[in-house]
Amino acid sequence: SEAHGVDTFRKNQFPIAELATRIARINRFVDPPEKMFETAGLLSAVLSVALVHRANKSPSLDLEEYQQLYKESITKPHQFWGRKARELLSWSRDFQTVHSGSFEHGDNAWFVEGQLNASYNCVDRHAHADPNRVAIIYEADDPADGRNVTYGELLREVSRTAWVLKQMGVRKGDTVAIYLPMIPEAIIAILACSRIGAIHSVIFAGFSSDSLRDRVTDAGSKVVITTDEGKRGGKLIGTKKIVDDALKQCPDVSHVLVYKRTGSEIPWTEGRDYWWHEEIEKWPAYISPEPVNSEDPLFLLYTSGSTGKPKGVLHSTGGYLLGCAMTGKYVFDIHPGDRYFCGGDVGWITGHSYVVYAPLLLGVTTVVFEGTPAYPNFSRYWDIIEKHKVTQFYVAPTALRLLKRAGDEHVKAQMKDLRVLGSVGEPIAAEIWKWYFEVVGHEEAHVVDTYWQTETGSNVICPLGGVTPTKPGSASLPFFGIEPAIIDPVSGEEIHGNDVEGVLAFKQPWPSMARTVYGAHKRYMDTYLNVYKGYYFTGDGAGRDHEGFYWIRGRVDDVVNVSGHRLSTAEIEAALIEHHSVAEAAVVGVADELTGQAVNAFVAVKAGQDANDALRKELIMQVRRSIGPFAAPKAVYIVPDMPKTRSGKIMRRVLRKILAGEEDQLGDITTLSDPTIVERIIASVHAAK
Ligand code: WTA
């Protein structure tokens, strides 16, 4: 079985040729270096860093200082991180040990004796300095709605909500499920948990009730926070109803706290459901922050892996917060007074680190945007940036592809305050990079293509805005404390020198790395740390070019990236198999112009079942219901059988080739238990196309 993609990868089941085709697939969107510069039309490969520093805010460093600091972070990590941790975070108790543990034993710990509180660091210290400073700009789905929340107000709201949670029985170390759309209350709820030492477990509000149920159960959450409804792109989303459906199978949930967003009639369970506005009124506007140990967990965030079961990636407090503050300061060049807008959702890691923690730790204003880039029209992002004088903007290339395609006439706003333009979640093609730089940034804002993962906590390979040189399409150079290694997937040996390709790993621990998979430490070890002994394995292929710049090629395991959303093919297959007509399912990611990759499903139906359009639609519905609309296959092919080895393993490689129209390059198919099946699958695909 392909239960463990990374493992199979390690065992040479993906020969170099397979890696090469995977890389080639992705390369359709990331031009090879030579072609890239042509596309980008740039005279020089390396953009000059001497861009205008807008508003007279110059970055905290120059290139030479970066090089020195980087060197220090690698050769003297204790000295470097110890200093930075004291500089950027407030500790209620100092630490003596900067780092202990190793990749080998999976016991990394940072700032060991230190104690601190995340909400104190994000709210109190700024509220004390300047209670009227705006912490949150809430840009509602309807451009006419919305409000600002100051740091003073945020402290009161977080305190009251923390009281409510406490009174509901939440204690230090308990997990709280947060199923909220992009409204200020999502941030308030997150910080209220951290204020009392509870572990927040945010579940993206696009997940179905089944997915929500699984995550609530796995984390053992007894309290769920949600809204009556959500509002996005002019549409209403029945959040509370989804929660109710999920909780039918979560007997341990004792309380549901419901924020009234739209005021519609909703189902109500007396004794379990409580209105947010009624509860917070009962409690004082201040509660002391609970000091926690640096290594105490801050949050859980479920992400897709190689198996059907999502993993609860667990982050600790001190190290994670430091990663956010450091990258906010150096990658995004955040200065006091900035207005930072990250378009990511709080349901994913980008929202955690860059809607909530990085900007608030640094005491600036964060924009919380409830809507979509296309509503009410394609100017929405640009209008928000103009209206709020946004200084840093951060978004996934998928949104940029959509907006570029919509036409430059929508980008009328001048956006003169923009200094840094971030990209995240998937490779950004040179031509999109160039558009971002020229049309959005007027060649005056720095583009930072940031590579990282839920597990890395914060950016790991990325330019420092305005400091380090960039090349369109390359995530560029490692962040402080990150020592990348390119590994030959066949031999398992590190490949030294430049101009090399392989899989990407890191050689030394960094503060914001995930500490474990909740309740499954062995899975954590096997996925990240046991693959190549002494390294953290990312699961991505990457190249290091002749100048030492990194080019991320994409996942080498069974994870697909659709519109910057990380999905597991195994999870989608599991959803399809739940349908009574389905005998077998295989899901592959195929290149897609708009979404980067798209999900395509192959399904073999049980004897006596008709393969027709109605069934195809039902299967798509099945995935929407089981996981969420964002995971729905773009195409479903009903085939007579799967291409299988004699031991019964589905050869997805063959399916990928067929979809790519490379039927003449299927490789050796004589090992299939029934080689004639290939012709029949090709015929079914052609018939459907
Ligand atoms: C991919 C999102 C290319 C990569 C922050 C990684 C990227 C996965 C980039 C993690 C980038 C993220 N260029 N690929 N700049 N950033 N990825 O956990 O495959 O949702 O392993 O974290 O996204 O996705 P996750």
Side-chain angles (χ1 to χ4, degrees):
S1 93
E2 282 200 2
H4 201 297
V6 173
D7 241 16
T8 51
F9 182 66
R10 183 70 186 85
K11 285 179 197 136
N12 305 344
Q13 300 248 346
F14 293 138
I16 267 290
E18 165 73 353
L19 179 67
T21 46
R22 282 176 181 226
I23 288 172
R25 255 187 5 252
I26 292 151
N27 269 348
R28 273 192 218 147
F29 301 98
V30 185
D31 297 328
E34 323 77 61
K35 190 160 161 269
M36 180 196 74
F37 301 128
E38 210 177 283
T39 329
L42 296 170
L43 287 175
S44 148
V46 178
L47 267 181
S48 160
V49 293
L51 293 177
V52 182
H53 289 305
R54 284 179 164 174
N56 291 329
K57 280 182 181 167
S58 42
S60 328
L61 292 179
D62 64 26
L63 185 56
E64 213 168 288
E65 285 168 312
Y66 158 74
Q67 281 159 345
Q68 273 167 17
L69 275 179
Y70 177 72
K71 195 167 164 216
E72 185 201 357
S73 75
I74 299 300
T75 56
K76 295 177 183 151
H78 291 205
Q79 177 183 305
F80 178 84
W81 288 117
R83 187 175 72 244
K84 289 294 171 193
R86 291 188 181 101
E87 198 177 294
L88 290 173
L89 301 177
S90 302
W91 299 82
S92 54
R93 191 174 82 193
D94 195 20
F95 51 87
Q96 287 79 51
T97 311
V98 173
H99 172 253
S100 71
S102 65
F103 280 162
E104 195 191 345
H105 295 111
D107 57 349
N108 288 286
W110 289 86
F111 318 118
V112 182
E113 304 81 2
Q115 287 196 334
L116 75 173
N117 179 279
S119 85
Y120 178 86
N121 274 274
C122 289
V123 188
D124 301 45
R125 36 183 202 161
H126 316 306
H128 297 155
D130 181 4
N132 296 323
R133 188 188 306 162
V134 176
I136 299 172
I137 294 174
Y138 167 42
E139 176 73 26
D141 190 48
D142 180 339
D145 296 343
R147 72 178 200 271
N148 288 354
V149 181
T150 65
Y151 273 98
E153 287 164 342
L154 186 59
L155 179 55
R156 293 191 284 276
E157 295 301 311
V158 168
S159 289
R160 288 197 179 98
T161 313
W163 273 110
V164 173
L165 294 177
K166 257 197 140 160
Q167 165 271 335
M168 288 179 166
V170 178
R171 296 288 170 265
K172 188 172 177 173
D174 288 350
T175 66
V176 173
I178 299 177
Y179 187 72
L180 284 173
M182 286 292 289
I183 53 176
E185 287 67 27
I187 295 191
I188 294 168
I190 285 172
L191 295 172
C193 290
S194 73
R195 195 159 190 89
I196 58 174
I199 305 169
H200 55 79
S201 169
V202 181
I203 296 134
F204 174 55
F207 271 117
S208 68
S209 58
D210 285 2
S211 297
L212 176 61
R213 172 201 63 206
D214 293 347
R215 286 156 178 77
V216 168
T217 308
D218 186 76
S221 303
K222 295 191 181 62
V223 172
V224 180
I225 307 180
T226 190
T227 44
D228 51 355
E229 287 180 321
K231 231 181 146 187
R232 203 162 172 270
K235 296 196 191 94
L236 294 176
I237 301 145
T239 338
K240 172 66 164 54
K241 199 181 162 305
I242 296 170
V243 170
D244 282 356
D245 285 345
L247 296 191
K248 280 181 194 144
Q249 290 168 59
C250 300
D252 293 338
V253 171
S254 56
H255 294 81
V256 178
L257 185 62
V258 188
Y259 179 78
K260 191 178 269 187
R261 169 64 185 88
T262 65
S264 298
E265 271 301 307
I266 49 162
W268 200 255
T269 303
E270 216 51 62
R272 185 198 70 182
D273 299 348
Y274 296 86
W275 283 114
W276 175 299
H277 62 275
E278 288 175 4
E279 292 311 301
I280 59 165
E281 279 199 343
K282 299 175 185 166
W283 304 98
Y286 182 79
I287 190 170
S288 316
E290 173 91 33
V292 304
N293 292 326
S294 176
E295 276 302 312
D296 280 346
L298 177 62
F299 68 90
L300 267 178
L301 182 59
Y302 285 85
T303 189
S304 303
S306 299
T307 67
K309 197 175 176 323
K311 320 180 251 215
V313 170
L314 189 126
H315 279 285
S316 69
T317 307
Y320 172 80
L321 293 180
L322 184 57
C324 291
M326 280 290 287
T327 49
K329 182 174 165 70
Y330 291 110
V331 179
F332 292 95
D333 188 35
I334 292 179
H335 281 63
D338 280 350
R339 288 155 308 276
Y340 185 94
F341 175 18
C342 166
D345 192 285
V346 282
W348 308 110
I349 192 67
T350 304
H352 280 65
S353 303
Y354 299 101
V355 174
V356 185
Y357 286 108
L360 296 184
L361 282 166
L362 296 171
V364 300
T365 303
T366 185
V367 176
V368 173
F369 176 40
E370 189 178 29
T372 77
Y375 179 82
N377 55 53
F378 290 112
S379 302
R380 189 68 197 272
Y381 275 160
W382 322 130
D383 289 347
I384 294 173
I385 293 171
E386 185 79 347
K387 177 167 151 200
H388 302 298
K389 299 191 179 347
V390 166
T391 45
Q392 289 91 355
F393 178 54
Y394 195 24
V395 80
T398 188
L400 299 175
R401 286 192 292 267
L402 177 81
L403 296 172
K404 177 172 185 285
R405 185 196 267 190
D408 292 0
E409 64 273 20
H410 298 284
V411 202
K412 281 191 283 284
Q414 284 299 305
M415 303 179 276
K416 279 281 176 216
D417 295 277
L418 276 179
R419 302 201 314 276
V420 180
L421 293 170
S423 170
V424 57
E426 41 171 346
I428 178 166
E431 93 195 77
I432 302 292
W433 195 106
K434 186 184 167 237
W435 181 81
Y436 204 18
F437 179 62
E438 291 176 352
V439 178
V440 179
H442 300 284
E443 300 188 20
E444 289 189 358
H446 304 278
V447 173
V448 293
D449 170 8
T450 61
Y451 167 79
W452 59 298
Q453 312 175 298
T454 305
E455 297 86 340
T456 68
S458 50
N459 305 155
V460 285
I461 297 185
C462 50
L464 307 195
V467 177
T468 57
T470 50
K471 301 182 189 188
S474 163
S476 80
L477 302 169
F479 189 67
F480 299 122
I482 300 295
E483 201 183 1
I486 299 289
I487 293 184
D488 177 339
V490 175
S491 66
E493 297 296 322
E494 185 177 342
I495 317 173
H496 296 277
N498 284 347
D499 239 335
V500 293
E501 289 283 335
V503 295
L504 179 65
F506 300 132
K507 276 200 245 191
Q508 51 174 285
W510 64 101
S512 69
M513 64 178 288
R515 299 297 191 263
T516 192
V517 172
Y518 194 68
H521 195 64
K522 183 170 185 304
R523 188 171 175 196
Y524 169 84
M525 294 302 292
D526 289 347
T527 311
Y528 310 109
L529 303 182
N530 286 341
V531 185
Y532 303 104
K533 273 282 174 211
Y535 296 86
Y536 166 90
F537 176 50
T538 62
D540 282 299
R544 183 166 52 221
D545 73 12
H546 61 292
E547 290 172 317
F549 278 57
Y550 290 86
W551 298 78
I552 308 300
R553 308 302 189 195
R555 305 290 306 195
V556 294
D557 53 13
D558 296 305
V559 170
V560 284
N561 190 327
V562 181
S563 297
H565 291 160
R566 180 170 159 181
L567 302 170
S568 140
T569 51
E571 200 178 345
I572 301 170
E573 288 165 7
L576 288 166
I577 287 170
E578 280 170 31
H579 191 279
H580 58 86
S581 311
V582 174
E584 268 184 311
V587 164
V588 295
V590 295
D592 186 278
E593 213 184 309
L594 207 56
T595 57
Q597 282 187 297
V599 170
N600 278 14
F602 289 83
V603 168
V605 293
K606 288 180 186 156
Q609 298 290 337
D610 266 350
N612 52 31
D613 271 349
L615 177 60
R616 261 185 223 105
K617 283 205 187 95
E618 256 183 61
L619 293 173
I620 291 170
M621 268 315 291
Q622 171 76 27
V623 177
R624 292 176 66 99
R625 247 195 329 268
S626 176
I627 302 174
F630 61 93
K634 192 170 178 193
V636 175
Y637 300 104
I638 298 178
V639 293
D641 199 358
M642 296 294 164
K644 272 183 269 178
T645 60
R646 286 191 203 104
S647 58
K649 182 173 141 53
I650 298 176
M651 289 184 77
R652 289 172 179 74
R653 171 175 64 88
V654 170
L655 298 173
R656 264 185 229 114
K657 288 273 180 195
I658 294 174
L659 287 180
E662 294 165 0
E663 291 140 9
D664 50 336
Q665 301 164 36
L666 292 180
D668 184 10
I669 53 168
T670 56
T671 54
L672 289 179
S673 65
D674 173 12
T676 67
I677 191 66
V678 174
E679 279 311 314
R680 286 186 284 149
I681 293 173
I682 293 173
S684 319
V685 169
H686 284 196
K689 270 190 171 164

